Amino acid sequence: MFIRIVKMSFEESNIESFLKNFNANKVAIRNFEGCNLLELYQDKNNNSTFFTYSYWESESHLEAYRNSELFKTVWAKTKKLFNNKPQAWSVDKISPLTPEGGIDN
């Protein structure tokens, strides 16, 4: 399993359109084969900056999503709203902790 983090920045006037598009598609994205988690975060100091945080079973699952009609439709609407180039990272979880503070293997 690996994690995908995407940073996106929008024109202030486009935030509502972005959120509407995200909310209309978040369940379909989350239910896409291989997606185990999808969350959206908003920067506390810059409300036009957002991050998506998703868990994928494998890189091939993410690639299948990125080649899907769902992604193409969502991304076509989203990329028109940016005020800066998005950034993305694929990372592996190294040291997860349980709520009790122990390591979750």
Side-chain angles (χ1 to χ4, degrees):
M1 180 183 321
F2 78 102
I3 299 163
R4 181 75 165 181
I5 303 166
V6 180
K7 178 183 178 184
M8 301 168 286
S9 183
F10 300 96
E11 293 294 337
E12 190 83 25
S13 60
N14 292 333
I15 292 173
E16 187 176 328
S17 295
F18 163 69
L19 291 172
K20 183 177 179 181
N21 186 39
F22 180 83
N23 288 325
N25 292 286
K26 65 186 178 185
V27 172
I29 297 167
R30 170 55 188 90
N31 289 326
F32 198 88
E33 183 178 351
C35 183
N36 296 323
L37 176 89
L38 175 65
E39 296 179 324
L40 178 65
Y41 300 99
Q42 185 175 28
D43 189 287
K44 289 183 100 33
N45 298 312
N46 181 350
N47 70 341
S48 65
T49 301
F50 291 82
F51 301 84
T52 57
Y53 186 84
S54 55
Y55 280 24
W56 294 88
E57 288 181 26
S58 69
E59 290 186 47
S60 61
H61 284 98
L62 174 60
E63 283 307 308
Y65 167 66
R66 293 188 64 194
N67 290 312
S68 72
E69 285 305 312
L70 174 61
F71 175 81
K72 291 174 186 174
T73 301
V74 170
W75 196 246
K77 291 179 182 178
T78 303
K79 69 182 182 180
K80 295 187 290 188
L81 306 173
F82 293 140
N83 68 0
N84 207 344
K85 185 178 177 183
Q87 297 177 287
W89 298 270
S90 292
V91 299
D92 292 318
K93 186 186 294 189
I94 300 297
S95 182
L97 297 176
T98 65
E100 297 80 29
I103 295 176
D104 182 20
N105 292 326

